[in-house]
Amino acid sequence: GAVVSQHPSWVICKSGTSVKIECRSLDFQATTMFWYRQFPKQSLMLMATSNEGSKATYEQGVEKDKFLINHASLTLSTLTVTSAHPEDSSFYICSARRQTYSNQPQHFGDGTRLSIL
Amino acid sequence: EDKVVQSPLSLVVHEGDTVTLNCSYEVTNFRSLLWYKQEKKAPTFLFMLTSSGIEKKSGRLSSILDKKELFSILNITATQTGDSAVYLCAVERGGATNKLIFGTGTLLAVQP
């Protein structure tokens, strides 16, 4: 069964709205979670690494103030797209791994399809 | 700059055919190579490879890694329509956060 849960799966909202996406590890603790973005027919691009209890690490070109990440507990990370605009429409996916530094793969949530009108 | 390159970009086969998907990489501080299958939602894990020459197998799927030549292949035998998907190759970098670098994927279409 799923080991990473992501919610909501689909969001449609007006331009200027802020949207929060949740990513939960279901039966394990994840000190690190990852947020990806995927445009149609393209691969996954890492946006940021979410670290429990500390600031997220953003990839080059990703706006920290635009994509707010909070990792307040060992099982939950949130991504908030602030003042979303149509160009932010995309498929957002989170992932987590059971233990850092071990031979465990990252498992992905089902993704959130965000459509900004 | 780190990169992961997959080929072919797309492939159309008939049920029963065998396919081989390729993944080459240039990544500093290599830790592992992973294969995922992506249908309509998020990727689902297939294989994780860390050592050269050791084949991993799951049913009709198998994969192997060559760390000297910096590539991996994913084989699917006796393909079925349910194998139709995008197959993603990703390389995990070692370090504090173990980031994944994804290839562009191979779109496989299996026709009945």
PDB file of all heavy atoms in Angstrom, chain A residues 34 36 38 43-44 46 49 59 93 97 100-102 104-106 108-110 113, chain B residues 31 34 36 38 41-43 45 88 92 95-100 102-104:
ATOM      1  N   PHE A  34      11.091  15.548  -0.067  1.00  0.00           N
ATOM      2  CA  PHE A  34      11.473  16.264  -1.278  1.00  0.00           C
ATOM      3  C   PHE A  34      10.226  16.732  -2.019  1.00  0.00           C
ATOM      4  O   PHE A  34       9.222  16.011  -2.074  1.00  0.00           O
ATOM      5  CB  PHE A  34      12.305  15.357  -2.194  1.00  0.00           C
ATOM      6  CG  PHE A  34      13.550  14.805  -1.549  1.00  0.00           C
ATOM      7  CD1 PHE A  34      13.510  13.636  -0.821  1.00  0.00           C
ATOM      8  CD2 PHE A  34      14.755  15.478  -1.673  1.00  0.00           C
ATOM      9  CE1 PHE A  34      14.654  13.124  -0.214  1.00  0.00           C
ATOM     10  CE2 PHE A  34      15.905  14.982  -1.073  1.00  0.00           C
ATOM     11  CZ  PHE A  34      15.859  13.807  -0.344  1.00  0.00           C
ATOM     12  N   TYR A  36       8.891  18.026  -5.776  1.00  0.00           N
ATOM     13  CA  TYR A  36       9.198  18.075  -7.194  1.00  0.00           C
ATOM     14  C   TYR A  36       8.071  18.769  -7.947  1.00  0.00           C
ATOM     15  O   TYR A  36       6.926  18.820  -7.484  1.00  0.00           O
ATOM     16  CB  TYR A  36       9.347  16.663  -7.779  1.00  0.00           C
ATOM     17  CG  TYR A  36      10.486  15.860  -7.217  1.00  0.00           C
ATOM     18  CD1 TYR A  36      10.363  15.153  -6.025  1.00  0.00           C
ATOM     19  CD2 TYR A  36      11.706  15.791  -7.892  1.00  0.00           C
ATOM     20  CE1 TYR A  36      11.404  14.398  -5.515  1.00  0.00           C
ATOM     21  CE2 TYR A  36      12.758  15.038  -7.387  1.00  0.00           C
ATOM     22  CZ  TYR A  36      12.597  14.342  -6.204  1.00  0.00           C
ATOM     23  OH  TYR A  36      13.638  13.600  -5.706  1.00  0.00           O
ATOM     24  N   GLN A  38       6.477  18.857 -12.016  1.00  0.00           N
ATOM     25  CA  GLN A  38       6.534  18.182 -13.302  1.00  0.00           C
ATOM     26  C   GLN A  38       5.586  18.861 -14.273  1.00  0.00           C
ATOM     27  O   GLN A  38       4.378  18.908 -14.044  1.00  0.00           O
ATOM     28  CB  GLN A  38       6.173  16.702 -13.160  1.00  0.00           C
ATOM     29  CG  GLN A  38       6.356  15.902 -14.436  1.00  0.00           C
ATOM     30  CD  GLN A  38       6.067  14.423 -14.244  1.00  0.00           C
ATOM     31  OE1 GLN A  38       5.214  14.049 -13.456  1.00  0.00           O
ATOM     32  NE2 GLN A  38       6.784  13.573 -14.978  1.00  0.00           N
ATOM     33  N   SER A  43      10.143  15.603 -17.286  1.00  0.00           N
ATOM     34  CA  SER A  43      10.499  14.795 -16.129  1.00  0.00           C
ATOM     35  C   SER A  43      10.335  15.586 -14.841  1.00  0.00           C
ATOM     36  O   SER A  43       9.967  16.757 -14.855  1.00  0.00           O
ATOM     37  CB  SER A  43      11.929  14.295 -16.273  1.00  0.00           C
ATOM     38  OG  SER A  43      12.180  13.276 -15.329  1.00  0.00           O
ATOM     39  N   LEU A  44      10.609  14.932 -13.741  1.00  0.00           N
ATOM     40  CA  LEU A  44      10.484  15.586 -12.441  1.00  0.00           C
ATOM     41  C   LEU A  44      11.691  16.482 -12.194  1.00  0.00           C
ATOM     42  O   LEU A  44      12.837  16.078 -12.399  1.00  0.00           O
ATOM     43  CB  LEU A  44      10.421  14.544 -11.325  1.00  0.00           C
ATOM     44  CG  LEU A  44       9.097  13.843 -11.082  1.00  0.00           C
ATOM     45  CD1 LEU A  44       8.809  12.835 -12.170  1.00  0.00           C
ATOM     46  CD2 LEU A  44       9.101  13.167  -9.726  1.00  0.00           C
ATOM     47  N   LEU A  46      13.477  18.643  -9.185  1.00  0.00           N
ATOM     48  CA  LEU A  46      13.518  18.880  -7.753  1.00  0.00           C
ATOM     49  C   LEU A  46      13.410  20.383  -7.483  1.00  0.00           C
ATOM     50  O   LEU A  46      14.154  21.180  -8.057  1.00  0.00           O
ATOM     51  CB  LEU A  46      14.810  18.330  -7.162  1.00  0.00           C
ATOM     52  CG  LEU A  46      15.000  18.512  -5.657  1.00  0.00           C
ATOM     53  CD1 LEU A  46      13.953  17.727  -4.878  1.00  0.00           C
ATOM     54  CD2 LEU A  46      16.408  18.081  -5.241  1.00  0.00           C
ATOM     55  N   THR A  49      14.387  20.586  -0.874  1.00  0.00           N
ATOM     56  CA  THR A  49      14.499  19.510   0.107  1.00  0.00           C
ATOM     57  C   THR A  49      13.984  20.046   1.430  1.00  0.00           C
ATOM     58  O   THR A  49      14.461  21.077   1.919  1.00  0.00           O
ATOM     59  CB  THR A  49      15.964  19.062   0.244  1.00  0.00           C
ATOM     60  OG1 THR A  49      16.445  18.647  -1.033  1.00  0.00           O
ATOM     61  CG2 THR A  49      16.081  17.918   1.233  1.00  0.00           C
ATOM     62  N   GLU A  59      16.401  24.525  -4.635  1.00  0.00           N
ATOM     63  CA  GLU A  59      17.246  24.403  -5.825  1.00  0.00           C
ATOM     64  C   GLU A  59      17.369  25.766  -6.505  1.00  0.00           C
ATOM     65  O   GLU A  59      16.533  26.662  -6.319  1.00  0.00           O
ATOM     66  CB  GLU A  59      16.646  23.383  -6.793  1.00  0.00           C
ATOM     67  CG  GLU A  59      16.630  21.973  -6.232  1.00  0.00           C
ATOM     68  CD  GLU A  59      18.012  21.454  -5.911  1.00  0.00           C
ATOM     69  OE1 GLU A  59      18.867  21.384  -6.824  1.00  0.00           O
ATOM     70  OE2 GLU A  59      18.262  21.141  -4.720  1.00  0.00           O
ATOM     71  N   ILE A  93       4.746  16.980  -6.806  1.00  0.00           N
ATOM     72  CA  ILE A  93       4.872  15.646  -6.199  1.00  0.00           C
ATOM     73  C   ILE A  93       5.866  15.705  -5.045  1.00  0.00           C
ATOM     74  O   ILE A  93       6.917  16.331  -5.166  1.00  0.00           O
ATOM     75  CB  ILE A  93       5.392  14.605  -7.209  1.00  0.00           C
ATOM     76  CG1 ILE A  93       4.633  14.687  -8.535  1.00  0.00           C
ATOM     77  CG2 ILE A  93       5.296  13.199  -6.646  1.00  0.00           C
ATOM     78  CD1 ILE A  93       5.220  13.809  -9.606  1.00  0.00           C
ATOM     79  N   ARG A  97      11.787   9.121   2.139  1.00  0.00           N
ATOM     80  CA  ARG A  97      12.425   7.818   2.263  1.00  0.00           C
ATOM     81  C   ARG A  97      12.409   7.404   3.713  1.00  0.00           C
ATOM     82  O   ARG A  97      12.391   8.248   4.606  1.00  0.00           O
ATOM     83  CB  ARG A  97      13.846   7.836   1.715  1.00  0.00           C
ATOM     84  CG  ARG A  97      14.748   8.845   2.373  1.00  0.00           C
ATOM     85  CD  ARG A  97      16.057   8.963   1.646  1.00  0.00           C
ATOM     86  NE  ARG A  97      16.790   7.713   1.683  1.00  0.00           N
ATOM     87  CZ  ARG A  97      17.762   7.417   0.828  1.00  0.00           C
ATOM     88  NH1 ARG A  97      18.082   8.258  -0.117  1.00  0.00           N
ATOM     89  NH2 ARG A  97      18.395   6.271   0.908  1.00  0.00           N
ATOM     90  N   THR A 100      17.239   8.193   6.202  1.00  0.00           N
ATOM     91  CA  THR A 100      18.303   8.869   5.472  1.00  0.00           C
ATOM     92  C   THR A 100      19.580   8.029   5.560  1.00  0.00           C
ATOM     93  O   THR A 100      19.815   7.378   6.562  1.00  0.00           O
ATOM     94  CB  THR A 100      18.546  10.269   6.076  1.00  0.00           C
ATOM     95  OG1 THR A 100      17.306  10.958   6.122  1.00  0.00           O
ATOM     96  CG2 THR A 100      19.532  11.043   5.220  1.00  0.00           C
ATOM     97  N   TYR A 101      20.332   8.030   4.497  1.00  0.00           N
ATOM     98  CA  TYR A 101      21.621   7.344   4.421  1.00  0.00           C
ATOM     99  C   TYR A 101      21.515   5.821   4.332  1.00  0.00           C
ATOM    100  O   TYR A 101      22.490   5.133   4.350  1.00  0.00           O
ATOM    101  CB  TYR A 101      22.538   7.684   5.621  1.00  0.00           C
ATOM    102  CG  TYR A 101      22.708   9.151   5.859  1.00  0.00           C
ATOM    103  CD1 TYR A 101      22.351   9.710   7.081  1.00  0.00           C
ATOM    104  CD2 TYR A 101      23.186   9.990   4.869  1.00  0.00           C
ATOM    105  CE1 TYR A 101      22.494  11.063   7.297  1.00  0.00           C
ATOM    106  CE2 TYR A 101      23.327  11.348   5.085  1.00  0.00           C
ATOM    107  CZ  TYR A 101      22.983  11.870   6.303  1.00  0.00           C
ATOM    108  OH  TYR A 101      23.119  13.215   6.522  1.00  0.00           O
ATOM    109  N   SER A 102      20.351   5.285   4.254  1.00  0.00           N
ATOM    110  CA  SER A 102      20.229   3.838   4.125  1.00  0.00           C
ATOM    111  C   SER A 102      19.890   3.480   2.688  1.00  0.00           C
ATOM    112  O   SER A 102      19.576   4.338   1.885  1.00  0.00           O
ATOM    113  CB  SER A 102      19.137   3.313   5.051  1.00  0.00           C
ATOM    114  OG  SER A 102      17.872   3.694   4.558  1.00  0.00           O
ATOM    115  N   GLN A 104      17.430   2.690   1.020  1.00  0.00           N
ATOM    116  CA  GLN A 104      15.987   2.707   0.835  1.00  0.00           C
ATOM    117  C   GLN A 104      15.644   3.711  -0.251  1.00  0.00           C
ATOM    118  O   GLN A 104      16.195   4.803  -0.286  1.00  0.00           O
ATOM    119  CB  GLN A 104      15.275   3.110   2.136  1.00  0.00           C
ATOM    120  CG  GLN A 104      15.404   2.083   3.246  1.00  0.00           C
ATOM    121  CD  GLN A 104      14.579   0.849   2.959  1.00  0.00           C
ATOM    122  OE1 GLN A 104      13.502   0.941   2.386  1.00  0.00           O
ATOM    123  NE2 GLN A 104      15.095  -0.311   3.339  1.00  0.00           N
ATOM    124  N   PRO A 105      14.742   3.351  -1.165  1.00  0.00           N
ATOM    125  CA  PRO A 105      14.387   4.301  -2.221  1.00  0.00           C
ATOM    126  C   PRO A 105      13.452   5.382  -1.708  1.00  0.00           C
ATOM    127  O   PRO A 105      12.810   5.228  -0.678  1.00  0.00           O
ATOM    128  CB  PRO A 105      13.666   3.423  -3.236  1.00  0.00           C
ATOM    129  CG  PRO A 105      13.015   2.366  -2.393  1.00  0.00           C
ATOM    130  CD  PRO A 105      13.978   2.098  -1.277  1.00  0.00           C
ATOM    131  N   GLN A 106      13.387   6.460  -2.455  1.00  0.00           N
ATOM    132  CA  GLN A 106      12.363   7.460  -2.191  1.00  0.00           C
ATOM    133  C   GLN A 106      11.030   6.925  -2.705  1.00  0.00           C
ATOM    134  O   GLN A 106      10.951   6.363  -3.792  1.00  0.00           O
ATOM    135  CB  GLN A 106      12.698   8.773  -2.910  1.00  0.00           C
ATOM    136  CG  GLN A 106      13.856   9.529  -2.304  1.00  0.00           C
ATOM    137  CD  GLN A 106      14.083  10.873  -2.971  1.00  0.00           C
ATOM    138  OE1 GLN A 106      13.171  11.465  -3.528  1.00  0.00           O
ATOM    139  NE2 GLN A 106      15.318  11.348  -2.914  1.00  0.00           N
ATOM    140  N   PHE A 108       7.043   8.037  -3.560  1.00  0.00           N
ATOM    141  CA  PHE A 108       6.358   9.249  -3.959  1.00  0.00           C
ATOM    142  C   PHE A 108       4.890   9.240  -3.550  1.00  0.00           C
ATOM    143  O   PHE A 108       4.238   8.191  -3.521  1.00  0.00           O
ATOM    144  CB  PHE A 108       6.450   9.429  -5.484  1.00  0.00           C
ATOM    145  CG  PHE A 108       7.828   9.801  -5.947  1.00  0.00           C
ATOM    146  CD1 PHE A 108       8.790   8.826  -6.160  1.00  0.00           C
ATOM    147  CD2 PHE A 108       8.163  11.131  -6.156  1.00  0.00           C
ATOM    148  CE1 PHE A 108      10.075   9.177  -6.568  1.00  0.00           C
ATOM    149  CE2 PHE A 108       9.437  11.482  -6.565  1.00  0.00           C
ATOM    150  CZ  PHE A 108      10.392  10.505  -6.766  1.00  0.00           C
ATOM    151  N   GLY A 109       4.397  10.430  -3.246  1.00  0.00           N
ATOM    152  CA  GLY A 109       2.966  10.607  -3.087  1.00  0.00           C
ATOM    153  C   GLY A 109       2.298  10.563  -4.446  1.00  0.00           C
ATOM    154  O   GLY A 109       2.973  10.501  -5.480  1.00  0.00           O
ATOM    155  N   ASP A 110       0.979  10.617  -4.464  1.00  0.00           N
ATOM    156  CA  ASP A 110       0.242  10.537  -5.724  1.00  0.00           C
ATOM    157  C   ASP A 110       0.229  11.842  -6.506  1.00  0.00           C
ATOM    158  O   ASP A 110      -0.296  11.895  -7.606  1.00  0.00           O
ATOM    159  CB  ASP A 110      -1.196  10.089  -5.471  1.00  0.00           C
ATOM    160  CG  ASP A 110      -1.303   8.582  -5.332  1.00  0.00           C
ATOM    161  OD1 ASP A 110      -0.346   7.892  -5.750  1.00  0.00           O
ATOM    162  OD2 ASP A 110      -2.321   8.111  -4.807  1.00  0.00           O
ATOM    163  N   ARG A 113      -2.321  17.982  -8.716  1.00  0.00           N
ATOM    164  CA  ARG A 113      -2.422  18.711  -9.985  1.00  0.00           C
ATOM    165  C   ARG A 113      -3.016  20.080  -9.682  1.00  0.00           C
ATOM    166  O   ARG A 113      -4.146  20.180  -9.232  1.00  0.00           O
ATOM    167  CB  ARG A 113      -3.290  17.951 -10.975  1.00  0.00           C
ATOM    168  CG  ARG A 113      -3.146  18.447 -12.404  1.00  0.00           C
ATOM    169  CD  ARG A 113      -3.652  17.438 -13.423  1.00  0.00           C
ATOM    170  NE  ARG A 113      -2.940  16.174 -13.384  1.00  0.00           N
ATOM    171  CZ  ARG A 113      -1.748  15.952 -13.927  1.00  0.00           C
ATOM    172  NH1 ARG A 113      -1.105  16.932 -14.532  1.00  0.00           N
ATOM    173  NH2 ARG A 113      -1.191  14.751 -13.860  1.00  0.00           N
TER     174      ARG A 113
ATOM    175  N   ARG B  31      25.509   7.535  -5.791  1.00  0.00           N
ATOM    176  CA  ARG B  31      25.154   6.651  -4.679  1.00  0.00           C
ATOM    177  C   ARG B  31      24.367   5.446  -5.180  1.00  0.00           C
ATOM    178  O   ARG B  31      24.651   4.319  -4.814  1.00  0.00           O
ATOM    179  CB  ARG B  31      24.354   7.414  -3.632  1.00  0.00           C
ATOM    180  CG  ARG B  31      23.891   6.573  -2.453  1.00  0.00           C
ATOM    181  CD  ARG B  31      23.151   7.436  -1.435  1.00  0.00           C
ATOM    182  NE  ARG B  31      22.500   6.610  -0.415  1.00  0.00           N
ATOM    183  CZ  ARG B  31      23.096   6.143   0.668  1.00  0.00           C
ATOM    184  NH1 ARG B  31      24.373   6.398   0.889  1.00  0.00           N
ATOM    185  NH2 ARG B  31      22.444   5.413   1.542  1.00  0.00           N
ATOM    186  N   LEU B  34      18.042   4.432  -9.740  1.00  0.00           N
ATOM    187  CA  LEU B  34      16.696   3.908  -9.505  1.00  0.00           C
ATOM    188  C   LEU B  34      15.865   3.966 -10.781  1.00  0.00           C
ATOM    189  O   LEU B  34      16.016   4.873 -11.598  1.00  0.00           O
ATOM    190  CB  LEU B  34      15.989   4.713  -8.404  1.00  0.00           C
ATOM    191  CG  LEU B  34      16.652   4.693  -7.025  1.00  0.00           C
ATOM    192  CD1 LEU B  34      17.563   5.903  -6.852  1.00  0.00           C
ATOM    193  CD2 LEU B  34      15.615   4.666  -5.918  1.00  0.00           C
ATOM    194  N   TYR B  36      11.810   3.964 -12.007  1.00  0.00           N
ATOM    195  CA  TYR B  36      10.426   4.148 -11.592  1.00  0.00           C
ATOM    196  C   TYR B  36       9.522   4.007 -12.808  1.00  0.00           C
ATOM    197  O   TYR B  36       9.920   4.290 -13.934  1.00  0.00           O
ATOM    198  CB  TYR B  36      10.216   5.548 -10.998  1.00  0.00           C
ATOM    199  CG  TYR B  36      10.833   5.785  -9.647  1.00  0.00           C
ATOM    200  CD1 TYR B  36      12.150   6.253  -9.535  1.00  0.00           C
ATOM    201  CD2 TYR B  36      10.113   5.584  -8.472  1.00  0.00           C
ATOM    202  CE1 TYR B  36      12.717   6.492  -8.287  1.00  0.00           C
ATOM    203  CE2 TYR B  36      10.675   5.828  -7.228  1.00  0.00           C
ATOM    204  CZ  TYR B  36      11.981   6.275  -7.147  1.00  0.00           C
ATOM    205  OH  TYR B  36      12.541   6.519  -5.905  1.00  0.00           O
ATOM    206  N   GLN B  38       5.897   5.462 -14.213  1.00  0.00           N
ATOM    207  CA  GLN B  38       4.896   6.502 -13.984  1.00  0.00           C
ATOM    208  C   GLN B  38       3.753   6.359 -14.971  1.00  0.00           C
ATOM    209  O   GLN B  38       3.957   6.457 -16.165  1.00  0.00           O
ATOM    210  CB  GLN B  38       5.512   7.906 -14.073  1.00  0.00           C
ATOM    211  CG  GLN B  38       4.518   8.999 -13.712  1.00  0.00           C
ATOM    212  CD  GLN B  38       5.123  10.387 -13.694  1.00  0.00           C
ATOM    213  OE1 GLN B  38       6.112  10.654 -14.374  1.00  0.00           O
ATOM    214  NE2 GLN B  38       4.550  11.282 -12.907  1.00  0.00           N
ATOM    215  N   LYS B  41      -0.343   9.028 -12.353  1.00  0.00           N
ATOM    216  CA  LYS B  41      -0.038   9.750 -11.117  1.00  0.00           C
ATOM    217  C   LYS B  41       1.471   9.775 -10.880  1.00  0.00           C
ATOM    218  O   LYS B  41       2.243   9.908 -11.793  1.00  0.00           O
ATOM    219  CB  LYS B  41      -0.800   9.112  -9.961  1.00  0.00           C
ATOM    220  CG  LYS B  41      -2.309   9.290 -10.060  1.00  0.00           C
ATOM    221  CD  LYS B  41      -3.002   8.814  -8.815  1.00  0.00           C
ATOM    222  CE  LYS B  41      -4.500   9.105  -8.907  1.00  0.00           C
ATOM    223  NZ  LYS B  41      -5.226   8.671  -7.687  1.00  0.00           N
ATOM    224  N   ALA B  42       1.849   9.647  -9.652  1.00  0.00           N
ATOM    225  CA  ALA B  42       3.258   9.777  -9.295  1.00  0.00           C
ATOM    226  C   ALA B  42       4.014   8.482  -9.579  1.00  0.00           C
ATOM    227  O   ALA B  42       3.429   7.419  -9.738  1.00  0.00           O
ATOM    228  CB  ALA B  42       3.378  10.166  -7.830  1.00  0.00           C
ATOM    229  N   PRO B  43       5.327   8.557  -9.656  1.00  0.00           N
ATOM    230  CA  PRO B  43       6.130   7.373  -9.973  1.00  0.00           C
ATOM    231  C   PRO B  43       6.034   6.281  -8.915  1.00  0.00           C
ATOM    232  O   PRO B  43       5.979   6.561  -7.718  1.00  0.00           O
ATOM    233  CB  PRO B  43       7.551   7.922 -10.032  1.00  0.00           C
ATOM    234  CG  PRO B  43       7.399   9.388 -10.253  1.00  0.00           C
ATOM    235  CD  PRO B  43       6.143   9.767  -9.552  1.00  0.00           C
ATOM    236  N   PHE B  45       8.013   2.834  -7.521  1.00  0.00           N
ATOM    237  CA  PHE B  45       9.372   2.299  -7.475  1.00  0.00           C
ATOM    238  C   PHE B  45       9.463   0.924  -8.126  1.00  0.00           C
ATOM    239  O   PHE B  45       8.610   0.054  -7.906  1.00  0.00           O
ATOM    240  CB  PHE B  45       9.817   2.225  -6.017  1.00  0.00           C
ATOM    241  CG  PHE B  45      11.114   1.506  -5.807  1.00  0.00           C
ATOM    242  CD1 PHE B  45      12.315   2.078  -6.165  1.00  0.00           C
ATOM    243  CD2 PHE B  45      11.125   0.240  -5.238  1.00  0.00           C
ATOM    244  CE1 PHE B  45      13.511   1.416  -5.963  1.00  0.00           C
ATOM    245  CE2 PHE B  45      12.309  -0.435  -5.032  1.00  0.00           C
ATOM    246  CZ  PHE B  45      13.507   0.150  -5.394  1.00  0.00           C
ATOM    247  N   LEU B  88      11.009   6.094 -15.757  1.00  0.00           N
ATOM    248  CA  LEU B  88      11.956   7.123 -15.344  1.00  0.00           C
ATOM    249  C   LEU B  88      13.187   6.491 -14.708  1.00  0.00           C
ATOM    250  O   LEU B  88      13.069   5.593 -13.871  1.00  0.00           O
ATOM    251  CB  LEU B  88      11.308   8.068 -14.337  1.00  0.00           C
ATOM    252  CG  LEU B  88      10.151   8.920 -14.855  1.00  0.00           C
ATOM    253  CD1 LEU B  88       9.416   9.568 -13.687  1.00  0.00           C
ATOM    254  CD2 LEU B  88      10.653   9.992 -15.802  1.00  0.00           C
ATOM    255  N   GLU B  92      20.763   8.845  -7.684  1.00  0.00           N
ATOM    256  CA  GLU B  92      20.821   9.458  -6.363  1.00  0.00           C
ATOM    257  C   GLU B  92      22.253   9.878  -6.064  1.00  0.00           C
ATOM    258  O   GLU B  92      23.191   9.076  -6.199  1.00  0.00           O
ATOM    259  CB  GLU B  92      20.345   8.462  -5.309  1.00  0.00           C
ATOM    260  CG  GLU B  92      20.325   9.026  -3.899  1.00  0.00           C
ATOM    261  CD  GLU B  92      19.882   7.988  -2.888  1.00  0.00           C
ATOM    262  OE1 GLU B  92      20.154   6.798  -3.091  1.00  0.00           O
ATOM    263  OE2 GLU B  92      19.268   8.380  -1.880  1.00  0.00           O
ATOM    264  N   GLY B  95      25.596  12.317  -0.098  1.00  0.00           N
ATOM    265  CA  GLY B  95      25.717  13.597   0.577  1.00  0.00           C
ATOM    266  C   GLY B  95      24.674  13.750   1.646  1.00  0.00           C
ATOM    267  O   GLY B  95      23.981  12.804   2.010  1.00  0.00           O
ATOM    268  N   ALA B  96      24.516  14.962   2.090  1.00  0.00           N
ATOM    269  CA  ALA B  96      23.633  15.217   3.224  1.00  0.00           C
ATOM    270  C   ALA B  96      22.166  14.916   2.926  1.00  0.00           C
ATOM    271  O   ALA B  96      21.422  14.512   3.798  1.00  0.00           O
ATOM    272  CB  ALA B  96      23.786  16.674   3.669  1.00  0.00           C
ATOM    273  N   THR B  97      21.754  15.134   1.700  1.00  0.00           N
ATOM    274  CA  THR B  97      20.325  14.997   1.422  1.00  0.00           C
ATOM    275  C   THR B  97      19.978  13.929   0.393  1.00  0.00           C
ATOM    276  O   THR B  97      18.819  13.649   0.198  1.00  0.00           O
ATOM    277  CB  THR B  97      19.737  16.329   0.935  1.00  0.00           C
ATOM    278  OG1 THR B  97      20.461  16.746  -0.224  1.00  0.00           O
ATOM    279  CG2 THR B  97      19.814  17.390   2.004  1.00  0.00           C
ATOM    280  N   ASN B  98      20.961  13.314  -0.263  1.00  0.00           N
ATOM    281  CA  ASN B  98      20.685  12.239  -1.223  1.00  0.00           C
ATOM    282  C   ASN B  98      19.661  12.629  -2.287  1.00  0.00           C
ATOM    283  O   ASN B  98      18.610  12.007  -2.435  1.00  0.00           O
ATOM    284  CB  ASN B  98      20.177  10.996  -0.480  1.00  0.00           C
ATOM    285  CG  ASN B  98      21.145  10.562   0.604  1.00  0.00           C
ATOM    286  OD1 ASN B  98      20.906  10.795   1.777  1.00  0.00           O
ATOM    287  ND2 ASN B  98      22.248   9.983   0.206  1.00  0.00           N
ATOM    288  N   LYS B  99      19.954  13.678  -3.032  1.00  0.00           N
ATOM    289  CA  LYS B  99      19.032  14.152  -4.055  1.00  0.00           C
ATOM    290  C   LYS B  99      18.937  13.174  -5.216  1.00  0.00           C
ATOM    291  O   LYS B  99      19.898  12.495  -5.553  1.00  0.00           O
ATOM    292  CB  LYS B  99      19.493  15.505  -4.591  1.00  0.00           C
ATOM    293  CG  LYS B  99      19.508  16.601  -3.550  1.00  0.00           C
ATOM    294  CD  LYS B  99      19.601  17.975  -4.172  1.00  0.00           C
ATOM    295  CE  LYS B  99      20.831  18.193  -5.007  1.00  0.00           C
ATOM    296  NZ  LYS B  99      20.965  19.603  -5.416  1.00  0.00           N
ATOM    297  N   LEU B 100      17.759  13.160  -5.851  1.00  0.00           N
ATOM    298  CA  LEU B 100      17.559  12.371  -7.063  1.00  0.00           C
ATOM    299  C   LEU B 100      17.614  13.293  -8.277  1.00  0.00           C
ATOM    300  O   LEU B 100      16.996  14.341  -8.292  1.00  0.00           O
ATOM    301  CB  LEU B 100      16.200  11.674  -7.048  1.00  0.00           C
ATOM    302  CG  LEU B 100      16.024  10.470  -6.140  1.00  0.00           C
ATOM    303  CD1 LEU B 100      14.622   9.901  -6.313  1.00  0.00           C
ATOM    304  CD2 LEU B 100      17.058   9.406  -6.432  1.00  0.00           C
ATOM    305  N   PHE B 102      16.631  13.163 -12.170  1.00  0.00           N
ATOM    306  CA  PHE B 102      15.828  12.349 -13.071  1.00  0.00           C
ATOM    307  C   PHE B 102      16.216  12.565 -14.522  1.00  0.00           C
ATOM    308  O   PHE B 102      16.592  13.664 -14.941  1.00  0.00           O
ATOM    309  CB  PHE B 102      14.344  12.700 -12.909  1.00  0.00           C
ATOM    310  CG  PHE B 102      13.694  12.033 -11.750  1.00  0.00           C
ATOM    311  CD1 PHE B 102      13.725  12.627 -10.497  1.00  0.00           C
ATOM    312  CD2 PHE B 102      13.059  10.815 -11.900  1.00  0.00           C
ATOM    313  CE1 PHE B 102      13.138  11.999  -9.409  1.00  0.00           C
ATOM    314  CE2 PHE B 102      12.466  10.188 -10.820  1.00  0.00           C
ATOM    315  CZ  PHE B 102      12.500  10.780  -9.573  1.00  0.00           C
ATOM    316  N   GLY B 103      16.091  11.484 -15.299  1.00  0.00           N
ATOM    317  CA  GLY B 103      16.146  11.599 -16.745  1.00  0.00           C
ATOM    318  C   GLY B 103      14.802  12.058 -17.270  1.00  0.00           C
ATOM    319  O   GLY B 103      13.843  12.216 -16.511  1.00  0.00           O
ATOM    320  N   THR B 104      14.737  12.251 -18.581  1.00  0.00           N
ATOM    321  CA  THR B 104      13.502  12.749 -19.197  1.00  0.00           C
ATOM    322  C   THR B 104      12.449  11.671 -19.343  1.00  0.00           C
ATOM    323  O   THR B 104      11.298  11.967 -19.609  1.00  0.00           O
ATOM    324  CB  THR B 104      13.789  13.353 -20.569  1.00  0.00           C
ATOM    325  OG1 THR B 104      14.527  12.400 -21.330  1.00  0.00           O
ATOM    326  CG2 THR B 104      14.580  14.641 -20.451  1.00  0.00           C
TER     327      THR B 104
END
